[in-house]
Structure formats: C-alpha cells, structure tokens
Amino acid sequence: MTGRLTGKVALITGAGSGIGRVAAELFAAEGAAVGVLDVHGDSAEQTAAHVAARGGRASAITADVTAAAEVDGALHRLVAEYGRLDVLVNNAAIDLQGSITTGTEDDWDRCFAVNVKGVFLCSRAAVPHLTAAGGGSIVNHASVAGLVGVRNLAAYCASKGAVISLTRAMALDLAPAGIRVNAICPGAVLTGMMEDLMRARGGGDLAAGMAETLAKYPIGRLGRPEDIASLALHLAGDAASFMTGSIITADGGMSAQ
Ligand SMILES: NC(=O)c1ccc[n+]([C@@H]2O[C@H](COP(=O)([O-])OP(=O)(O)OC[C@H]3O[C@@H](n4cnc5c(N)ncnc54)[C@H](O)[C@@H]3O)[C@@H](O)[C@H]2O)c1
C-alpha cells in the first residue's frame, strides 16, 4: 500500500458488510482512520476488528442512516475521537424487490429513507466537519440501476436515480467549500445484497440467476467489492482533486450496450 490516505479520517456507512467492509479495510490499509458505521452494530464491530487485526485504525459506530439524531451523534463521536473528517462514503443502502405494481408503499418509503434520505442526513452532518478540515470528498454509492431500468426493482432504481441527481446538486453547492462530491454506479457485485437478487432472478436457483446476469456483462465476469472500493479510494484521495459532480460507472461494460 502507498499511504494514499495517510493522516485522513473517513466515515463509511453500511461498512458492516459487502462493498463497505472492503472499502473500510482498503482505506485503513492506505493510512486512514475509519469510522465503520452500520445499523447492525455487531457487523460494524467485525469490520473494525478486521481492520485492527491488520494494524489499521477503525471505530465501529452503530447508527441508522435514516435517523438524524443518530447520524449527527455518530459524526460528533468520530470527530471527537480522531480530530477531523476528510472523507464520507455514503454506501449504506437496501434493495427491495418489486415492480411498480407489486412493490408495497412501505417498501417504497423504506427504500427512499435509507438510500436517499440517508445520503442527505449523513452528508448534511458531515459538511461542517469537512469544511472545518479545509475541504474533503464525499463518495456516493449509486448504481447502474439509477441509469438503466432493472426489472422488478422499481423503488431501488428510482432511489439510485435520485442519488445521482443529488450528487450533481451537492457538487455545485459544496464546491466553494472545497468539498468534492462524486457518485459510483456499480454493476452487479457479488455481495449479500446481490445474492438475494440473483436467487430471485433464477427462480430460487442462485447459479441460474448468476448465469442470466453474467450474460449481460461484456467483460465476462461480475464485479468484486474490491473493484468498487478501489474506485472509491481514488475519488476519496488527492489524485481525484479535479473531479466533482462525476457519475462513474464500474459495471464491466453492462450499461455501454
Ligand atoms: N452489490 C451490488 O451488486 C451493487 C450494485 C450496485 C450498487 N450497489 C450499492 O453499493 C452499496 C453497497 O452494497 P452491498 O452490495 O455491499 O450491500 P450489503 O447489503 O452487503 O451492505 C449494505 C450495508 O448497509 C447496511 N445498512 C442497511 N441499512 C442501513 C441503515 N439504515 N443504516 C446504516 N446501515 C445500513 C447493512 O447493514 C449492510 O451492512 C449500496 O449503496 C448498493 O446499493 C451494490
């Protein structure tokens, strides 16, 4: 590792599993102190323990990104512990399956609460700290599902489209404070979230669902959490100092067709 985040403090939401966990490990390996926020405190503890076992610095934070008081408290605790905040990765999300006719109103509200309002609340709480640090980077994890339609995932698609729009608006509003805001749109990445979707797509058969999905990926494989975490690392660091308002796909060419 090359110490690309040495001296920086990063908060990663939803870092108890999947892409967020791998990002926490990578950021810490690159020198950052990492706040590992998750609604599932035990998962956050496990990620923080993984990081510590490799000699990195991380603190587990149990918080729900949809609860303003919990988010504000989490930011204050992290800054009190490490003295500053340089990077926020808005990664926490849920993917509720259903079309516009089969998805419930509750599913819609929950999807927007976590995936969109969560980004709003965490970013709002982070901005004063990022500003105090002289600027920083916010990385929003959107999805190719915010750029193209995906069957039976209506609320999720709409929520990720909203994250893409919010990214552009935030980039404009926060540029004067030296805060860059970019979004990553991953294609299918093998995590717990994607496994459920693949199984449903294959009518209960995970392998069949994966084969159907893989057929849409020109690069011949699905994504790995590392593919997304390394892009988040690039956006978080100084190498991306001229990037803001960018919406970047990392999808093996899926959305290029
Ligand atoms: N896996 C994919 O194929 C894929 C594709 C495109 C985009 N993404 C996006 O990447 C991000 C990470 O996805 P993943 O596959 O690692 O998912 P995941 O389900 O493995 O991890 C999501 C984490 O978020 C946490 N979380 C959920 N609700 C929360 C809340 N209210 N407050 C705090 N934490 C909460 C969960 O506990 C979990 O640890 C998400 O934004 C997702 O939409 C994933």
Side-chain angles (χ1 to χ4, degrees), residues 62-221:
T62 307
D64 184 335
V65 296
T66 69
E70 290 185 29
V71 167
D72 292 348
L75 261 300
H76 281 295
R77 282 203 304 284
L78 186 70
V79 172
E81 185 173 1
Y82 294 113
R84 58 188 289 134
L85 181 74
D86 303 280
V87 179
L88 167 66
V89 181
N90 283 309
N91 169 77
I94 55 172
D95 70 334
L96 296 171
Q97 293 173 41
S99 71
I100 199 70
T101 50
T102 62
T104 67
E105 190 176 342
D106 280 352
D107 288 349
W108 179 274
D109 288 345
R110 185 78 194 133
C111 211
F112 270 75
V114 178
N115 299 5
V116 188
K117 187 179 175 188
V119 175
F120 157 59
L121 291 177
C122 292
S123 303
R124 185 180 68 172
V127 163
H129 303 296
L130 295 171
T131 304
S137 171
I138 297 177
V139 181
N140 293 331
H141 284 176
S143 172
V144 285
L147 298 169
V148 303
V150 180
R151 282 187 188 83
N152 205 39
L153 220 53
Y156 181 79
C157 287
S159 72
K160 291 301 186 177
V163 171
I164 290 168
S165 290
L166 182 57
T167 298
R168 293 194 176 105
M170 285 167 58
L172 298 184
D173 289 337
L174 300 178
I179 300 169
R180 298 180 296 101
V181 189
N182 296 288
I184 300 175
C185 295
V189 178
L190 289 171
T191 63
M193 177 184 279
M194 192 39 68
E195 217 176 289
D196 293 344
L197 190 64
M198 301 271 180
R199 195 168 278 113
R201 196 169 278 169
D205 181 345
L206 178 62
M210 281 179 63
E212 187 189 323
T213 306
L214 189 58
K216 297 179 186 146
Y217 282 73
I219 213 160
R221 70 168 174 87

